[in-house]
Amino acid sequence: MRYTILMHYTEETDETLGEEVMAEGRRAFSAYAQALHQAGVLLSGEVLQPSTSTTTLTTVDGELRIQDGPYADTKDQLGGTFVIDVPDLDAALEWARQAPGVAWGAVEVRPGATYVRDGGWEPNA
């Protein structure tokens, strides 16, 4: 079963922790990604740039709008993701517990689904 591990933090995290702690965090994330890879469960992973690099598309009254920056005015950010293939939610949660981001943010585990032609979704197995 495929699960996505989403790493959340606040933008103040970068400012309040300092460069030395952030460098340690980057090393911890690298080691975590390596552990996922070595265990054979990592399908993909990505660190995301800050929300200031976001471009958001929305439709308001039938009109497409494009704005620079995040859709919501918030300091909470999605910092990166790992997509893993494990037997069940318990295994996904075990990997999520080891994620370095749990120390200064939130780690979300979400099962994946695939769009099917009839307009529905089927859980990824």
Side-chain angles (χ1 to χ4, degrees):
M1 180 90 179
R2 282 183 263 171
Y3 291 89
T4 300
I5 299 174
L6 301 106
M7 309 290 180
H8 298 273
Y9 72 103
T10 64
E11 287 190 339
E12 286 106 5
T13 301
D14 292 343
E15 300 163 9
T16 59
L17 292 181
E19 181 53 39
E20 186 176 319
V21 173
M22 291 304 295
E24 182 180 319
R26 287 189 291 273
R27 287 190 295 275
F29 272 104
S30 180
Y32 179 68
Q34 185 65 27
L36 290 168
H37 177 73
Q38 288 177 343
V41 300
L42 181 64
L43 297 178
S44 68
E46 190 164 49
V47 174
L48 301 177
Q49 295 184 27
S51 66
T52 54
S53 65
T54 301
T55 302
T56 303
L57 287 75
T58 57
T59 300
V60 178
D61 297 326
E63 180 183 328
L64 180 65
R65 296 184 182 176
I66 300 173
Q67 75 180 45
D68 291 333
Y71 175 69
D73 186 19
T74 178
K75 299 282 186 183
D76 293 330
Q77 300 301 316
L78 176 61
T81 64
F82 292 98
V83 179
I84 60 174
D85 188 5
V86 293
D88 53 33
L89 178 59
D90 289 337
L93 290 172
E94 185 57 38
W95 280 108
R97 282 184 189 93
Q98 299 173 49
V102 110
W104 62 80
V107 175
E108 177 182 349
V109 177
R110 192 180 302 183
T114 301
Y115 177 75
V116 292
R117 287 183 181 240
D118 67 1
W121 298 92
E122 291 182 1
N124 289 335

